[in-house]
């Protein structure tokens, strides 16, 4: 390098330092760079101590005026300032502003309004905002400049001269070519007469200010205008005589052929006109048909990393250069110098206006680190974690993207060789460096073993580079093994033991699992491995339980459900995927238990321990707050410990498990069947977990081995007397009188009255018969209660045995007691009740429920022999109970059984036992059974009870007492009983949960307390409800539940109840009556297609046609039936006004309600609410469906831009209809996508009619797919008529393919070796555009697919164009790449792919296979007739091939002769076939032009033709 060159190079470095990245102050300062002086150039603004550019988007004269004013220039005249975009060269570095909108009055640029915050921009470095400020401006006397207010090239303009440090113009008097040469020489341009032009007569606009020079007369040899003869500050001119010139650059020094350089007249060092040395002279490169690869090759040949951008007619930016090269270049990505590129002569490029300009970047190298080294740094960094930086060009550069495979090798390079897995962080937890660098990221394939095997990607798009900061800087954590044993699994960071982040031990390190593709089945297998046996675990995405401290080891887990370990499931293993810590999966495992189940844990024996209760399939604990003997008694009874004491234990006596608190403030009476029936506060899962830390839990000790009274006691007192006649019996009342119907049974033994200590029903029957009850002698045998006086705690005899047929007890067998003791009955004596004669009490066979607290519940009693009798629980089951409910007129209700005389034992005899109903009987008496006297004994504490309960599930809600289902008092279902909610604590958040649970929008919800809608129920079940407002159901909230007795008492008291209105009519306006336009009850449709069953629905109300503002699916079905459309019962209901304006958006009524069975033939048969008029934005329209040719259960996606997305529609009863978005989630979408064969990667679920609302009826809602179903028909769901859904809430999906970035496949061909090329990015198979598609690219694709013999390119969607997104618009391959992704490709951003797909043609390939398919199926060679046919085919092929070759040779000979003539006549001759398009003959090259393959030639011709 010469000394002058070295100085220039140092000055260039100093200039770059001054222009880009230099610190600055104050905030908001501006400057102009890359201009001829400080008065013009690209605008830079100072922000946070750093200079940055301004984008040219929306840049205007007003903006330029503000900049010039801020710089101190005059802006009093519109000619004092000018906005110029893309004029002073490209930028390179920080861009601060875009879309600036000044009104011209601001004092500084940052005070102007702008569309985006500082630092957000949408332009490239090729479109920078520029400004020209004219006055006053200081200068050095004698200096000259070229000025123009037009968008003229910078090397031409009005000549301005500096005198007395002020700019002025020059008059054209006597001006000639020598004067022009002097000006151009002074400005650094060539001084050749042939390289200058002179213009006068205000060609570039009038000047302003002084005219300094006149009568200039130069000889042409002067170095500056000041040396010429002239008049200074004296003239006889006006500004319309201002002189203007055009200058040209020209370097006549010798150069080395094929060398390249950048030329600029304005001191640019990294950008300028592209010049190449041809015949030892510098020539500008032609700007015709250039591509970005020309820029990339050119800059790399100069030692830069690449190019920022290209500019045709580059003289506008950098000054005109006189000598242009009449050749253009076409380069590929594999070329490293311009001499390797293809070159074509192009005569029109001889003009200086056709020069090509380029901006290069990345030529210098720092010295702060050794290239290729890696480090972890940043705020909070540790030895094994931090922001990861790579040394590139001697500078530490952050990663702008980081894959798992790259992280793996980075950890290995950092010394973590035993376990090189790493965690990639994209949340900038280690802060930003904001370092500007070309380095973008490094891509390492899964087969790479060290960083040197990886590919470095620089910033920019396509061939262009950009020196900038990262949008996001990535972090990395590496690990050492030894924390765990391979195969272990655990839940981490959960509040309770059943929940947490899923972690598995892999290679001795606890690793989390990525959420991609994870569903309920995978969670079930994992939970089963931990010992949790419940179905449907809750799955949590987005690292609900924290991101974890280990790597993410697995993703895309796919379990079938039968695996015993999650290790047995298929999965993707690190580093074959990339997943960030904020996307780890968590789970709450469920257990196989029912709501209200209890168990004891932590005690030394089975009968003691901490009480655990099951709720929502999760075992939890009970707070000891208020825990009493009665509560303990219920728990012990529920567990079967019904004898002995039940002792409550407080203060976590048996320990406190790490489980949620389910119940608090339990208050039992002691008689409840289970703990769930007691009054209590039920905590939501979230509140229960929060309460755990500050709560002590309840325990019990069920002592079942307490001392029992001895079976007999010594006889006390006399054993004989004369009170009675031996063998007689009597029934003694509470007053001591004797009764023949009921009383304490006493037997005369040895002349003394003595009680019975035990008795069976046969003895009781004999006693009743003996007391005159001969027609009906069945007895009720019980023990003494408060109604009867206790006589003695022992009997003088053991017992009496009867057959039951005796007429007197003397005929029975008396069993004496032992001499030394007599039977002990310390608490109760036996009571016998006898009943009246037949025909006086009840109807034979009838049943009833007695002593229940709510309707349809109680003790079961049946009329036998005209006397009511109870039923023994021996053999009592749901089928028997169903017969009772049916007999009572409630076949639709759900029976719930009660045992242990839950509703008391009553007074009547137990008449049935061991019932065996089959379910078809019409009465309980018709069932198989044992009658009274057929069974030995059934104690009175074993009488059957029953609730004919509502057909509802625990937690269901409904609104009653209002005008419609949208309003009313809240009712909650628990154990098949609907009950109210007390008003205590009721607020808007609680009401919103109700509306959400019922499928209504929460906006506009109103809540009520008191008796707004009445108390139409049998009990109050809940009080003190506490919802956050985000829960999905009321059962998810915290609340207090009431036992039935407590709820019944609260109902009868003055307790206010909770009410809700999810939708309410406007202020009530009385409907219009007295019309005569129609007959009441008539229906009609309005609209263009009403005759075909679609349009706005109108009803004749009180003689006036009225629109509908509300219509359910069942009501719509009845409406279509009334209109005569009876082919199908499925109807579409629309609230979006699609049928145009109705007669009115005011309905004269509120709504109709038809039966759920839709049996009505007219809406007049349905219930009508017409208290008020209703207003709506759009009147209701309907479409009475007609069957299509679809098959029930078919599924399709409709109205998507590509095949993988759309509105979900299912065929039901041969009708296509959409799904409601209520409850539609990823599990449901997964089943849809799998059913359609559209990929098993995690889909996106939409619930907002994203793909339109459709025209069919909404068929399903509240899908509950688990993920393993083969079709959505198999999922739980609500079907047509059982739900409401707006047309703005229709479900849609976007399915994703299970493929990796860069994978390719062929579709649409007749075999697997040919077809349209699809490439995978972002988990979508997508199209490759055929722009630039060549045989080289086809060879790469075929090789990637295993066809090693190459292939042939097909364009213009030869194999069809699948309805898929566009992934790549252009792919340029050299043919040596391993994959298509390795080629130079123009990727399409994911958000633009659908739009681009419509504008491209798809690329295809036909791969050459190694063998020819044998139609006969034979695997051997040709033989017999088949061989003959094969030989014939080959012979015909050879003959055709020979003919083709002969024809081609003839054509080539003719072309060569024609070409010789063309060459002889001059280089400008074109091929006739290309001349019309102005494309230069690619065969007409000079002798220096290198040869290239015919296929490449064809591809280039085609590409240029498109341009």
């Amino acid at each position: 390098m010469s000394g002058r060159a070295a100085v220039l190079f140092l000055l260039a470095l100093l200039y770059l330092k001054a222009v880009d990245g230099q610190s600055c102050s104050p905030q908001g300062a501006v400057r102009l760079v890359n201009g001829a002086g400080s008065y013009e150039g690209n605008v830079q603004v100072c922000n946070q101590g750093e200079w940055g550019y301004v984008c040219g988007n929306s840049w205007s004269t007003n903006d330029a005026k503000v900049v010039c004013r801020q710089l101190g220039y005059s802006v009093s005249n519109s000619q004092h300032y000018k906005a110029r975009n893309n004029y002073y060269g490209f930028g390179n570095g920080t861009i601060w502003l875009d879309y600036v909108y000044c009104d011209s009055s601001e004092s500084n640029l940052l005070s102007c309004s702008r569309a985006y915050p500082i630092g957000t921009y949408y332009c490239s470095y090729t479109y920078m905002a520029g400004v020209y400020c004219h006055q006053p401006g200081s200068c050095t006397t004698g200096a000259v400049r070229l000025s123009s207010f037009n968008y003229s090239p910078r090397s031409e303009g009005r000549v301005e001269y500096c005198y007395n440090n002020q700019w002025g113009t020059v008059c054209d008097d006597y001006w000639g070519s020598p004067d022009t040469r002097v000006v151009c020489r002074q400005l650094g341009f060539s001084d050749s007469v042939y390289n200058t032009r002179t213009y006068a007569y205000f060609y570039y606009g009038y000047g302003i200010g002084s005219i300094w020079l006149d009568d200039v007369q130069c000889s042409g040899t002067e170095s500056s205008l000041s040396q010429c003869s002239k008049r200074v500050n004296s003239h006889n001119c006006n500004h319309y005589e201002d002189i203007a010139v055009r200058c040209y650059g020209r370097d006549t020094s010798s150069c080395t052929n094929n060398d390249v350089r950048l030329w600029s007249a304005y001191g640019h060092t990294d950008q300028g006109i592209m010049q190449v040395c041809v015949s030892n002279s510098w020539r500008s490169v032609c700007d015709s048909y250039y591509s970005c690869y020309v820029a990339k090759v050119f800059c790399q040949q100069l030692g830069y990393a690449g190019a920022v951008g290209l500019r045709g007619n580059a003289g506008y930016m950098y000054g005109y250069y006189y000598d242009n090269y009449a050749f253009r270049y076409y380069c590929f990505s594999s070329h490293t110098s311009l001499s390797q590129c293809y070159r074509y002569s192009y005569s029109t490029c001889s003009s200086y206006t056709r020069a090509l300009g380029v901006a290069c970047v990345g030529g210098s190298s720092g010295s702060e680190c050794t290239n290729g080294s890696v480090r972890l740094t940043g705020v909070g960094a540790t030895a094994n974690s931090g922001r990861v930086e790579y040394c590139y060009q001697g500078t530490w550069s952050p990663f702008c993207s980081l894959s798992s495979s790259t992280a793996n090798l980075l950890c290995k390079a950092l010394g973590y060789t035993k376990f090189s897995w790493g965690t990639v962080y994209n949340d900038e937890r280690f802060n930003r460096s904001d370092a500007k660098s070309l380095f973008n990221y490094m891509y390492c394939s899964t087969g790479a073993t060290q960083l040197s095997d990886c590919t470095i990607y620089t910033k920019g798009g396509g061939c262009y580079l950009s020196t900038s900061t990262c949008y996001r800087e990535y972090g990395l954590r590496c690990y050492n093994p030894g924390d765990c044993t391979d195969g272990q699994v655990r839940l981490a960071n959960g509040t309770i033991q059943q929940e947490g982040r899923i972690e598995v031990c892999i290679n001795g390190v606890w690793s989390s699992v990525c959420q991609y593709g994870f569903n309920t089945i995978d969670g079930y297998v994992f939970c089963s491995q931990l010992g949790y046996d419940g179905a449907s675990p809750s799955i949590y995405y987005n690292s609900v339980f924290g991101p974890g401290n280990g790597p993410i080891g697995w993703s895309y887990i796919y379990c079938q459900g039968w695996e015993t370990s999650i290790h047995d499931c298929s999965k993707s293993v690190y580093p074959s995927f990339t997943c960030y810590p904020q996307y780890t999966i968590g789970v709450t495992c469920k257990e196989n238990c029912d709501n209200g189940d209890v168990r004891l844990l932590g005690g030394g024996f089975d009968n003691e321990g901490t009480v655990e209760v099951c709720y929502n399939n999760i075992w939890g604990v009970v707070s000891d707050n208020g825990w009493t003997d009665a509560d303990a008694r219920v728990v012990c009874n529920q567990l079967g410990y019904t004898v002995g004491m039940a002792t409550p234990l407080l203060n976590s006596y048996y320990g406190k498990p790490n489980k949620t608190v389910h119940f608090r403030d339990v208050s039992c009476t002691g008689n409840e069947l289970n703990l769930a029936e007691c009054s209590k506060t039920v905590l939501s899962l979230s509140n229960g977990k929060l309460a755990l830390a500050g709560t002590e839990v309840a325990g019990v000790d069920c002592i079942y081995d307490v001392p029992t009274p001895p079976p007999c006691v010594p006889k006390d007192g006399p054993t004989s007397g004369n009170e009675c006649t031996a063998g007689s019996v009597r029934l003694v009342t509470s007053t001591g009188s004797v009764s023949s119907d009921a009383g304490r049974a006493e037997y005369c033994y040895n002349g003394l009255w003595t009680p019975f200590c035990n008795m069976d029903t046969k003895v009781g029957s004999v006693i009743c018969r003996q007391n005159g009850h001969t027609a009906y002698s069945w007895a009720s045998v019980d023990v003494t209660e408060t109604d009867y006086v206790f006589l003695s705690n022992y009997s003088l005899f053991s017992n009496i045995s009867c057959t039951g047929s005796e007429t007197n007890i003397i005929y029975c067998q008396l069993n004496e007691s032992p001499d030394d003791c007599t039977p002990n009955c310390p608490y109760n004596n036996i009571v016998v009740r006898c009943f009246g004669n037949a025909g006086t009490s009840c109807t034979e066979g009838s049943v009833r429920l007695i002593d229940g607290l709510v309707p349809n519940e109680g003790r079961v009693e049946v009329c036998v022999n005209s006397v009511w009798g109870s039923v023994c629980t021996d053999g009592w089951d749901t089928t028997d109970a169903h017969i009772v409910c049916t007999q009572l007129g409630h076949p639709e209700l759900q029976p719930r059984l009660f045992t242990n005389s839950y509703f008391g034992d009553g007074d009547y005899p137990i008449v049935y036992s061991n019932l065996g109903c089959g379910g078809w009987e019409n009465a309980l008496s018709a069932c198989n059974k044992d009658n009274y006297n057929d069974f030995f004994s059934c104690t009175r504490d074993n009488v059957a009870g029953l609730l004919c309960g509502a057909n509802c599930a625990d937690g269901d809600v409904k609104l009653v007492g209002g005008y419609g289902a949208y309003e009313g008092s809240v009712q909650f279902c628990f154990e098949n009983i609907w009950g109210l909610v007390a008003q205590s604590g009721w607020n808007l958040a609680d009401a919103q949960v109700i509306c959400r649970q019922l499928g209504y929008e929460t906006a506009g919800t109103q809540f009520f307390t008191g008796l707004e809608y009445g108390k139409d129920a049998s009990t109050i079940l809940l009080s003190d409800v506490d919802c956050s407002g985000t829960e999905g159901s009321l059962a998810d909230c915290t609340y207090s539940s009431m036992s039935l007795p407590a709820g019944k008492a609260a109902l009868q008291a003055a307790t206010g109840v909770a009410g809700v209105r999810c939708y309410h009519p406007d202020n009530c306006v009385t409907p219009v009556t007295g019309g005569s336009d129609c007959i009441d009850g008539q229906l009609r449709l309005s609209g263009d297609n009403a005759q075909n069953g679609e349009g706005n629905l109108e009803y004749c109300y009180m003689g006036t046609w009225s629109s509908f503002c509300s219509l359910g699916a069942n009501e719509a079905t009845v409406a279509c039936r009334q209109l005569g459309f009876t082919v199908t019962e499925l109807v579409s209901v629309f609230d979006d006004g699609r049928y145009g304006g109705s007669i009115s958006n005011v309905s004269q009524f509120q709504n109709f309600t038809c039966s759920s069975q839709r049996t009505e033939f007219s809406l007049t048969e349905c219930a009508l609410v017409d208290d008020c008029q209703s207003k709506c934005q759009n009147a209701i329209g309907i479409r009475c469906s007609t069957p299509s040719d679809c098959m029930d259960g078919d599924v399709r996606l409709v109205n998507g831009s590509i095949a993988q997305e759309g509105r979900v529609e299912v065929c039901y009863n041969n009708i296509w209809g959409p799904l409601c978005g209520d409850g539609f989630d990823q599990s449901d979408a997964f089943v849809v996508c799998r059913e359609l064969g559209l990929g098993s990667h995690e889909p996106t679920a939409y619930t907002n009619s994203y793909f339109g609302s459709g025209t069919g009826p909404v068929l399903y809602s509240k899908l509950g797919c688990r993920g393993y179903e083969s079709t959505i028909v198999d999922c739980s769901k609500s079907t047509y008529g059982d739900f409401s859904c707006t047309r703005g809430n229709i479900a849609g999906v976007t399915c994703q393919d299970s493929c990796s970035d860069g994978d390719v496949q062929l579709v649409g061909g007749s075999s697997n070796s040919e077809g349209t090329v699809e490439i995978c990015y972002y988990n979508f198979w997508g199209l490759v555009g055929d722009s630039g598609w060549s045989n080289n690219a086809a060879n790469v694709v075929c090789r990637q697919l295993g066809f090693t013999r190459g292939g042939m390119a097909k364009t213009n969607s030869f194999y069809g164009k699948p309805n898929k997104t566009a992934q790549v618009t252009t792919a340029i391959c050299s043919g040596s790449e391993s994959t298509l992704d390795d080629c130079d490709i123009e990727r399409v951003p994911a958000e633009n792919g659908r739009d681009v797909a419509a504008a491209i043609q798809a690329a295809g390939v036909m791969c050459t296979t190694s063998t020819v398919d044998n139609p006969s199926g034979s695997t051997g060679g040709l033989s017999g007739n088949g061989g003959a046919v094969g030989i014939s085919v080959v012979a015909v092929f050879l003959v055709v091939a020979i003919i083709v070759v002969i024809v081609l040779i003839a054509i080539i000979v003719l072309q060569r002769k024609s070409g010789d003539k063309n060459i002889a006549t001059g280089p400008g001759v074109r091929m006739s076939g290309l001349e019309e398009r102005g494309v230069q003959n690619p065969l007409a090259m000079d002798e220096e032009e290198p040869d290239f393959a015919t296929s490449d030639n064809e591809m280039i011709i085609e590409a240029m033709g498109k341009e």
Side-chain angles (χ1 to χ4, degrees), residues 229-417:
S229 171
K230 57 191 178 296
R231 282 197 294 157
V232 181
N233 200 18
S234 173
H235 64 86
N236 57 355
C237 303
N238 292 307
H239 276 300
Y240 63 78
E241 299 176 82
D242 292 343
I243 194 66
V245 304
R246 174 186 293 168
C247 300
Y248 300 92
R250 193 178 196 190
D251 185 354
T252 58
S253 62
S254 180
C255 55
T256 303
N257 286 342
N258 294 322
D259 280 358
V260 293
R261 75 174 184 180
L262 292 171
W263 181 87
S264 171
Y266 303 104
H268 297 96
T269 56
D270 57 351
Q271 56 184 294
I273 292 175
M274 297 169 59
Q275 293 191 337
V276 60
C277 187
V278 179
S279 300
N280 304 113
S281 296
W282 289 110
R283 301 291 182 91
S284 301
V285 174
C286 175
D287 68 355
S288 176
Y289 298 114
Y290 55 83
S291 73
C292 64
Y293 292 106
V294 174
K296 179 180 178 182
V297 170
F298 186 92
C299 291
Q300 288 180 345
Q301 186 174 349
L302 284 172
Y304 293 94
V308 172
L310 282 168
R311 163 78 188 249
N313 196 356
Y316 264 78
M317 282 186 176
Y318 307 115
Y320 282 139
Y321 191 84
Y322 191 77
D323 296 320
N324 216 45
Y325 186 37
F327 280 82
R328 51 192 170 85
Y329 288 87
Y330 195 94
C331 303
F332 289 110
S333 61
S334 58
H335 295 150
T336 58
S337 70
L338 208 61
S339 62
Q340 296 174 348
C341 301
Y342 303 113
R343 182 182 57 175
Y344 308 95
S345 63
Y346 199 52
S347 60
T348 59
C349 272
S350 60
S351 169
Y352 56 84
T353 63
R354 300 303 303 271
L356 184 62
V358 68
C360 300
V361 68
S364 60
S365 180
S367 57
E368 64 181 3
C369 55
T370 302
N371 285 342
S373 55
V374 182
R375 74 176 181 180
L376 298 175
T377 185
V379 176
T382 65
N384 69 322
S385 66
R387 183 178 62 249
V388 60
E389 294 183 348
Y390 181 77
C391 187
Y392 181 75
Q393 292 186 339
T395 302
W396 286 115
S397 303
F399 278 74
C400 303
S401 179
L402 186 59
S403 67
S404 294
S405 55
T406 304
N408 191 33
L409 294 185
L410 288 171
C411 286
K412 186 176 180 180
L414 287 167
Y416 296 90
T417 56

Side-chain angles (χ1 to χ4, degrees), residues 731 740-742 764 768-769 771-781 832-838 840-841 864-869 906-911 932 940:
L731 301 176
S740 61
D741 296 324
C768 287
R769 191 177 296 116
N771 278 279
H773 295 274
T774 56
Y776 184 93
S777 60
W778 291 0
S780 171
V781 179
V832 174
R833 293 183 182 87
C834 304
F835 301 91
N837 295 323
T840 61
S841 183
V864 180
N865 296 331
S866 300
V867 176
W868 289 111
D907 293 331
Y908 292 99
I910 301 173
V911 295
Y932 186 93
R940 300 299 297 188

Side-chain angles (χ1 to χ4, degrees), residues 993-1067:
V993 173
I994 295 293
C995 292
R996 182 181 298 111
Q997 185 174 354
L998 291 173
Y1000 295 100
E1001 297 292 333
T1002 58
T1005 297
Q1006 293 177 281
F1007 74 96
F1008 300 92
T1009 56
L1011 301 176
E1012 180 74 18
Y1013 298 104
K1015 296 166 70 173
D1016 184 16
S1018 55
T1019 188
I1020 295 177
L1021 287 178
L1022 305 183
S1023 67
D1024 300 308
V1025 173
D1026 181 16
C1027 303
S1028 66
T1030 61
E1031 295 86 353
S1033 69
L1034 190 63
D1036 295 331
C1037 303
T1038 293
Y1039 56 84
S1040 294
S1041 68
M1042 293 186 177
S1043 65
L1044 284 179
K1048 192 79 171 180
L1051 182 69
Q1052 294 169 352
T1055 305
V1057 295
V1060 170
R1061 180 179 294 161
C1062 302
Y1063 162 84
H1064 61 91
D1066 296 301
N1067 293 332

Side-chain angles (χ1 to χ4, degrees), residues 780-828:
S780 171
V781 179
D782 203 350
V783 294
T784 53
E785 297 174 341
T786 55
D787 292 341
Y788 301 96
V789 177
F790 176 70
L791 178 63
S792 172
N793 65 349
Y794 65 91
S795 176
L796 295 177
F797 61 96
S798 180
N799 59 63
I800 296 176
S801 300
C802 301
T803 64
S805 61
E806 297 87 350
T807 58
N808 194 298
I809 202 167
I810 61 174
Y811 300 120
C812 298
Q813 176 67 43
L814 174 65
N815 299 309
E816 298 280 356
S817 59
D819 293 337
D820 56 345
C821 68
T822 190
N824 182 31
C825 41
Y827 307 116
N828 293 294

Side-chain angles (χ1 to χ4, degrees), residues 193 235 250 281 427 463 524 689 725 753 856 930 946 1028 1082 1129 1196 1235 1275 1280 1296 1302 1339 1435 1441 1456:
V193 66
H235 64 86
R250 193 178 196 190
S281 296
D427 55 5
C463 309
Y524 172 77
K689 291 189 290 185
T725 303
W753 289 110
N856 301 317
D930 290 336
L946 171 64
S1028 66
Q1082 285 183 319
E1129 292 195 344
R1196 68 180 182 182
E1235 181 176 358
C1275 302
Y1280 178 90
Q1296 296 194 60
N1339 290 336
R1456 286 185 179 274

Side-chain angles (χ1 to χ4, degrees), residues 607-649:
N607 62 298
E608 63 179 356
T610 296
V611 177
E612 291 194 353
V613 61
C614 177
Y615 198 74
N616 290 335
N617 297 108
I618 297 176
W619 285 108
V621 294
V622 178
S623 168
D624 69 352
N625 188 36
W627 190 247
T628 65
D629 291 353
D631 308 327
R633 179 73 272 163
V634 172
V635 170
C636 291
N637 287 348
Q638 187 175 348
L639 292 171
Y641 303 108
T642 57
V643 179
M645 298 179 64
T647 304
L649 281 306

